[in-house]
């Protein structure tokens, strides 16, 4: 079992920044790929960024490239998402998730542990 707890969401003006954190506990030695998903009202959940826990290989969806940075602290078993130059279209509930195995994929059904989500709201 792996437990994931997100924090760091909130309300920010367009152009501002937020940093999300995801603390992992439980059988964390089995962590292989960690990702940040988001879901806006009326839209499908999408993978925003992901990172291979051991290799550090990263993925970003096109709309956040150059603005968001995913990182991890292995010692603290914590995943981060630094979000800069935020736009109103970034408004969503953000979830961290864990996928077993070393292959980084974008399909949410491949991720088997999820956090409770944290709301990010960007005002124009």
């Amino acid at each position: 079992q792996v437990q994931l707890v997100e924090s760091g969401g909130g309300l920010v003006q367009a152009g501002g920044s937020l940093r999300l954190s995801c603390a992992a506990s439980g059988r964390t030695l089995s962590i292989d790929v960690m990702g940040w998903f988001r879901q806006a009202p009326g839209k499908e959940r999408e993978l925003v960024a992901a990172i291979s826990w051991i290799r550090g290989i990263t993925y970003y969806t096109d709309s956040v490239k150059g603005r968001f940075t995913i990182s991890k602290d292995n010692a603290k078993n914590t995943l981060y998402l630094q979000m800069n130059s935020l736009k109103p279209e970034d408004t969503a509930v953000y979830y961290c998730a864990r996928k077993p195995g070393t292959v980084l994929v974008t399909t949410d059904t491949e991720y088997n542990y999820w956090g409770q989500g944290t709301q990010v709201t960007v005002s124009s």
Side-chain angles (χ1 to χ4, degrees):
Q1 289 288 337
V2 174
Q3 293 80 42
L4 305 174
V5 179
E6 302 103 332
S7 60
L11 172 64
V12 65
Q13 289 188 335
S17 299
L18 283 174
R19 189 176 82 154
L20 305 182
S21 299
C22 174
S25 60
R27 297 185 61 183
T28 54
L29 291 179
S30 63
I31 289 177
D32 293 301
V33 173
M34 294 289 291
W36 286 101
F37 287 80
R38 67 185 179 187
Q39 187 166 24
K43 295 188 177 181
E44 292 186 353
R45 186 164 55 189
E46 66 167 340
L47 179 63
V48 176
I51 187 166
S52 170
W53 199 257
I54 300 300
R55 300 179 182 179
I57 299 171
T58 58
Y59 162 87
Y60 296 95
T61 193
D62 287 345
S63 62
V64 308
K65 286 180 180 177
R67 301 189 298 122
F68 291 10
T69 302
I70 190 170
S71 62
K72 58 185 177 67
D73 185 324
N74 287 21
K76 296 181 179 179
N77 287 321
T78 300
L79 179 73
Y80 302 99
L81 185 68
Q82 178 66 44
M83 304 185 295
N84 298 328
S85 301
L86 282 161
K87 303 176 181 180
E89 50 263 44
D90 294 318
T91 295
V93 178
Y94 284 70
Y95 301 89
C96 70
R98 175 264 187 185
K99 173 197 166 294
T102 59
V103 178
L104 201 159
V105 299
T106 62
T107 307
D108 60 356
T109 54
E110 298 291 325
Y111 292 74
N112 60 350
Y113 289 104
W114 293 81
Q116 81 286 356
T118 185
Q119 177 70 47
V120 171
T121 303
V122 184
S123 63
S124 57

